Amino acid sequence: MSLAKFFEECPNRRYIEFGGKGGLGKTTFSAATAYWLAQQGYKVLVFSVDPQASLSDIFERDIFGKGPVEIIPKLFAQEIDADRHVKDYQQEIRQKILDMYGLDAIPAEIEDYIQAAAAEPAMEESAIFDAVVDIVVGGEYDYYIYDLVPLGHALYYLSMASIYDEWIDKITSLRQEMQEYAQVAAILERKKKTEEDLILAELQDIKQRINTSSSILTDRERTAFFFVVTPEEMIILDTLKAAGLFAKYQVPICGYIVNRVIPPELAQQNIPDYLRHRIEMQEKYLKQIDATFGDAVVARVPEFERDITGLEMISKVAQALFGS
């Protein structure tokens, strides 16, 4: 099945993700798919939470941390400033502590802890969870193209979502038991809400946001995940391994896109030995890709003559991905 055919036959798949090792073309295909869908008349948002993302470079627009930026009619792009979200998250925590305990100011030792926690991966992940949820719950767009972080980080992200979910389930269960006792005490003291009510509500809110965020990656009805692979031995092996791990987390893998294929017809021309050897090597691994992934290969995209930046080059990639 071609990629264009996939979108035609799977109209409910509105969350599109491209994954793979860094530098294989995930951001390029995210941008090109968003461009093609916008050309078909859909309102599309392509976004990234990866601090190393290059949507700004590809679109030749400084979009980092500026919210959704309209690139062409119906095509919006967004690069999330994770650091700013961490700061917002810190401020939100301060405000909740003030509200929960009726304080006028954050005690110095707690402020030190909040500052130190900003360097912890968990704080950044929480901020990313929130940012993704904020983007998708609005429902403003027909399609959301999620330019994922590289494979290792994406797997870590999925595993942490699962761990957080289980951890919050246990904490919530304990809190619910404690709440029963706290409510009795509150009735005796004529209080409307107990401290346990507030903590439990906060935990349930965190759980809901984590579930919403991670479900985007794993929704088998609305999400489509495509691996980007190049005709190289190590990339094929890494992709096979990653596909197994992603399947373990219920990620709906819908196909593989082969990138940077050197046009084989060049071999008929007078070309340097270096290039001829590259073509021969690719021919070997292209056969391996076809044998390994079969009909799940939805597109082969050639190596282009220059970097993919600017709408003209994005349009060329879109043509290669989806056909003219």
Side-chain angles (χ1 to χ4, degrees), residues 2-267:
S2 71
L3 198 55
K5 191 77 172 173
F6 174 87
F7 279 93
E8 180 184 336
E9 294 187 355
C10 305
N12 293 329
R13 306 262 193 173
R14 297 303 176 103
Y15 299 122
I16 311 301
E17 302 159 358
F18 292 94
K21 292 191 72 172
L24 295 187
K26 298 187 302 296
T27 305
T28 298
F29 293 152
S30 296
T33 300
Y35 178 89
W36 183 80
L37 287 167
Q39 295 291 314
Q40 310 305 305
Y42 296 106
K43 186 178 179 182
V44 187
L45 174 69
V46 55
F47 69 98
S48 175
V49 297
D50 182 1
Q52 304 300 320
S54 50
L55 287 173
S56 285
D57 295 333
I58 283 183
F59 288 118
E60 297 182 323
R61 295 273 296 273
D62 180 14
I63 62 173
F64 182 73
K66 295 183 176 177
V69 175
E70 189 169 25
I71 305 298
I72 59 173
K74 293 186 175 294
L75 168 54
F76 295 79
Q78 182 173 0
E79 281 182 344
I80 294 164
D81 182 349
D83 288 341
R84 185 177 65 77
H85 278 271
V86 168
K87 289 176 182 173
D88 291 345
Y89 195 63
Q90 286 178 297
Q91 186 54 37
E92 187 180 336
I93 290 171
R94 289 188 190 96
Q95 192 59 52
K96 284 177 177 173
I97 290 173
L98 293 175
D99 294 342
M100 195 175 293
Y101 297 101
L103 301 174
D104 295 324
I106 298 293
E109 59 272 24
I110 294 179
E111 178 59 34
D112 289 345
Y113 176 77
I114 293 173
Q115 292 292 340
E120 295 291 331
M123 179 73 85
E124 183 176 343
E125 285 151 11
S126 296
I128 289 174
F129 281 135
D130 279 359
V132 173
V133 172
D134 288 343
I135 286 173
V136 299
V137 296
E140 296 179 40
Y141 302 91
D142 298 316
Y143 281 93
Y144 292 87
I145 313 296
Y146 192 170
D147 178 22
L148 280 173
V149 291
L151 281 179
H153 198 163
L155 283 167
Y156 176 72
Y157 181 74
L158 282 167
S159 64
M160 288 310 295
S162 175
I163 290 169
Y164 281 154
D165 198 28
E166 288 182 16
W167 177 75
I168 288 174
D169 269 343
K170 289 179 181 175
I171 298 294
T172 302
S173 177
L174 286 172
R175 286 288 176 185
Q176 282 173 333
E177 291 177 15
M178 293 170 65
Q179 188 188 34
E180 294 175 11
Y181 297 106
Q183 282 176 337
V184 173
I187 290 169
L188 294 174
E189 294 175 13
R190 297 177 183 278
K191 291 180 180 177
K192 289 184 178 179
K193 279 195 173 182
T194 68
E195 179 186 323
E196 292 301 326
D197 288 331
L198 297 172
I199 294 173
L200 187 60
E202 180 66 15
L203 285 170
Q204 287 170 336
D205 180 59
I206 292 171
K207 177 180 165 62
Q208 187 271 331
R209 295 180 80 80
I210 289 175
N211 283 341
T212 303
S213 178
S214 59
S215 70
I216 295 162
L217 292 169
T218 57
D219 189 327
R220 304 190 73 78
E221 299 295 324
R222 297 182 298 166
T223 296
F225 182 97
F226 297 95
F227 268 112
V228 179
V229 59
T230 56
E232 299 170 66
E233 184 176 19
M234 290 309 298
I235 299 299
I236 296 169
L237 293 175
D238 285 346
T239 302
L240 267 173
K241 183 179 178 183
L245 292 170
F246 272 61
K248 176 183 170 185
Y249 288 106
Q250 308 298 315
V251 174
I253 300 170
C254 294
Y256 297 80
I257 297 169
V258 188
N259 194 19
R260 295 181 182 158
V261 178
I262 301 171
E265 57 270 22
L266 286 178

